[in-house]
Amino acid sequence: MMELILCNCPDTEVAERITQHLLQRKLAACVNVLPAVQSHYVWQGQLEQSTEIPLLIKARKEDFIEVEQAICALHPYQVPEIIAIAAQQVFAPYLQWVQEVTSRD
């Protein structure tokens, strides 16, 4: 099955580095790099605000651990935001494309 993995990056350079790594290693079929957003959060007991670049990563569920490891290796945050949402329904031809593009057989 497929997952949509969400990850926020501190800037476009990090976003591009993660995107290229995932695609070149066939860990993702597609990565949408979205426009910058304002994030508000609590970090180490303090209210924080920063501009971040969201990534929407389309990957196979069975590749999540490798995707997570790759993001952690390339991401500068101590605790990067990595959230996987299991796709309940996916247009069959799109799902087939994801499976084909990420196949490493």
Side-chain angles (χ1 to χ4, degrees):
M1 199 52 171
M2 188 185 119
E3 288 186 323
L4 177 63
I5 303 169
L6 311 174
C7 177
N8 282 342
C9 298
D11 55 43
T12 55
E13 182 181 314
V14 172
E16 186 61 28
R17 185 169 54 239
I18 290 171
T19 297
Q20 291 303 313
H21 182 89
L22 296 176
L23 294 172
Q24 289 170 356
R25 284 162 182 75
K26 296 186 175 187
L27 292 173
C30 175
V31 179
N32 299 115
V33 180
L34 302 181
V37 298
Q38 283 296 110
S39 295
H40 301 260
Y41 52 93
V42 177
W43 178 248
Q44 298 179 339
Q46 300 293 316
L47 290 175
E48 301 285 343
Q49 178 180 336
S50 62
T51 300
E52 296 182 302
I53 307 296
L55 300 180
L56 301 179
I57 303 161
K58 284 73 163 227
R60 297 183 305 172
K61 183 178 176 110
E62 57 266 29
D63 291 334
F64 176 76
I65 297 298
E66 288 182 75
V67 171
E68 180 184 58
Q69 290 171 344
I71 291 171
C72 286
L74 298 169
H75 206 293
Y77 290 174
Q78 190 175 9
V79 181
E81 181 177 344
I82 306 169
I83 302 169
I85 301 169
Q88 297 299 313
Q89 291 184 305
V90 180
F91 182 53
Y94 186 81
L95 179 59
Q96 181 178 349
W97 173 77
V98 169
Q99 295 290 341
E100 289 171 3
V101 168
T102 57
S103 176
R104 289 174 268 158
D105 300 331

